[in-house]
Amino acid sequence: MVTDAANEACQLHNVQFYNLLPRAIVCSSFGQLHKKLALARDDGTIEIWNMVCAAFLEKTIPGGQGLSIEGLAWAGKRLFSVSLAGTLIEWDLGKIPYAKQSILVTGNAAWCIDVSKDERLLAVGTDGGYINVYRLDNDEITYERILDKQEGRIVCCNFDWTGDFLVTGSADAVRVWDVRNGHAVHKMRTGRANSNQETTVWAVLVLKDFTIVSADSRGKLVIYDGQMGTVLEQHFVSSADLLCLAHSEEKDTIFVGGVEPTIRLYERVPNKGNSGAKIFIRAYYRRGHTHDIKTMTTYGRYLFSGGLDGSLIVTAAQPFVLDIHYPLLPSPASVLATECRLVLLKYINYLEVWTLAPSKKPTQGGVKVLQIRSKKDEHILCAAISPNGRWIVYSTESTVRLFRYDYNRKEPTKSRLLRVQNTPEHLATCYRVDFTRDSNGLFLYDRTDNGTIQYFSCAADENDEWDHKQSIDAGRWLPETIHLSAVSSCSRYLVCADVASSIVVFERTASKWKRSISLPRYKLPPTAIAIQPDRTRLAVAFSDHKLFVYDFNEFTFVFSTYLKLPAPTSSIGGIAFDPRHESAMVLQNGAKIVSLRFGPDVEEEVRQQEDAKQSKKQRPALNGSTDVDGDGGEVSLTKCKLRLVRDASRLVSIEWLGENELVAIEANALSMVEHLPAAFRKKAYGKM
């Protein structure tokens, strides 16, 4: 759909044919040390989210067909996972994440994992009824012991606060184990709703006073005395299975979730009838999911939950927060070929190329002209299409493919796709790829710890051969994973940013690419960057909504401020400079498209409005705050005007197409729902 332009407004291409499938969240774990959330999806992918300020996806460990992650656990900065293949894996989350150690556990498939509060012990529960205990010392995993075998699989486990006892859940029972001698201290039977159907304990939780909480398939929340092994309370929560638990230490609150897509809260309050004793009462509930809730974890006042619908939902109370992160692919998931009006859409294991409607004929767009499936259906790490639409490249963990695409605009069925056979030796697997704006240069970000960027050039002749020109040693200045990059419109500058807040500008000279300048490092990682067309201005946004525009040719800050955005809990995921105005840009703030104007005229206008308001009543600034550059001490522009352009629930990216057209790519909401099973439905009295 293309909207009509009026006055200074632009035409908006509302792309909604990006048919992503839902990917369920299976398990999650929050790392308290560096405030990062790790979650695993049903295709074996592990995602690392930075939760220091506004949440954003920092790193991704690709999965594959047949892979299954059933549990995640942090021990300081170390991340562990267990799978149905019966392996315990420690992941190295360096520049290129990889499996650092892999251990086969006793008892076949592994169902659960937990790390003690002092981070010295790790326990794994298996399908064969064995509990494997390992010691975490000196950055190694050392076998400690196997606890006594029990009948049936270990579904869930949780250490107490001392690390000496382990509580496990299985069929019809909750057990308390003494880790020091390997024997069971207590066995608490759950009972059955039906005599012929066993009760599965899906989640257990141990509180600081050794109170044990369990959630089971009967829909009951059961409270036990861990010292005596007796039942204290029972609460009937739902008529369906309860699958996960979480505990908030701040308010002594328990969160319960399951097949019914409602999170219920139970608060611990003093019992009036018994002085000194405390009981749990149902307080209120939270809604946001549409299907089963499979995992929950907390940090401070925030609750992170995920489930079958694939959405990561962040909620909090007082003040109320509801932030939904839909199961989108890591950015960039879409690339525009501006010269031929094509858009490349990246999926898990295939690519699609679609046409965009002409500005004067809005009904002639939205036609799929090409689909490329990866070899052996491997997960695609990155993909790109050249601005002229002639070249397409993608990479998986094992292969990289370069294609020449001869697109016939008049008759798309006669277009040709040819794989480039004689590729240079350095054309190896990568995790990120960029074309230059003239379509004659290609950057491949190597999947090695060296952080090398391979640069290729296409010969300007009939053969169209690609040659390797240079290996850019970017690892000298970018110690972490490069998650953001931008190429200038003149194809002379390349800007890269990593998750360690390093931002480097590379410049192409007559012979090769050289580092031009490294920007001052900020305390938080950037979430979006963009280079202004035909200028040497770089816009950078950070997770705390700090935004600055830096001229790397004059070494000065043009604009710098902290934004008060419509979606304060969402990060700035994209920046697109307005080609019609020197001091204007469009921001992607979560699911919202926001226009921003700055400059001397806006600065003066905003200050006059503030002075008029402060003369009547003392109030803070409307938007922005005074900012002084750290290097030269010069005061840059700090005031701006924001305006909400559009609210798109599943916004993927924004990019300008020409002078007066903005392309907003959204994931199709219907495709994310229609492939899900039927949601739990509870019959309400008096309703159909």
Side-chain angles (χ1 to χ4, degrees), residues 347 349-353 368-373 405 417:
Y347 292 84
N349 54 4
Y350 65 95
L351 306 172
E352 289 183 351
V353 178
K368 185 170 71 171
V369 295
L370 180 65
Q371 179 172 317
I372 304 173
R373 186 168 291 274
Y405 183 47
L417 180 71

Side-chain angles (χ1 to χ4, degrees), residues 103 251 310 317 406 448 485 527 688:
I103 300 174
K251 295 185 177 181
D406 298 326
T448 61
S485 60
T527 58
M688 295 298 293

Side-chain angles (χ1 to χ4, degrees), residues 109-125:
W111 285 98
C112 57
I113 182 175
D114 192 47
V115 174
S116 60
K117 302 299 185 294
D118 55 8
E119 297 178 350
R120 62 183 177 88
L121 293 177
L122 181 146
V124 178

Side-chain angles (χ1 to χ4, degrees), residues 36 51 104 130 138 190 280 297 319 462 467 507 511 514 542 580 601:
K36 292 182 181 179
M51 296 292 182
L104 285 174
Y130 292 96
N138 302 323
T190 59
F280 285 93
T297 185
E462 296 180 356
D467 296 324
E507 182 179 3
S511 58
K514 293 183 179 179
F542 297 89
R580 305 167 300 172
D601 54 338

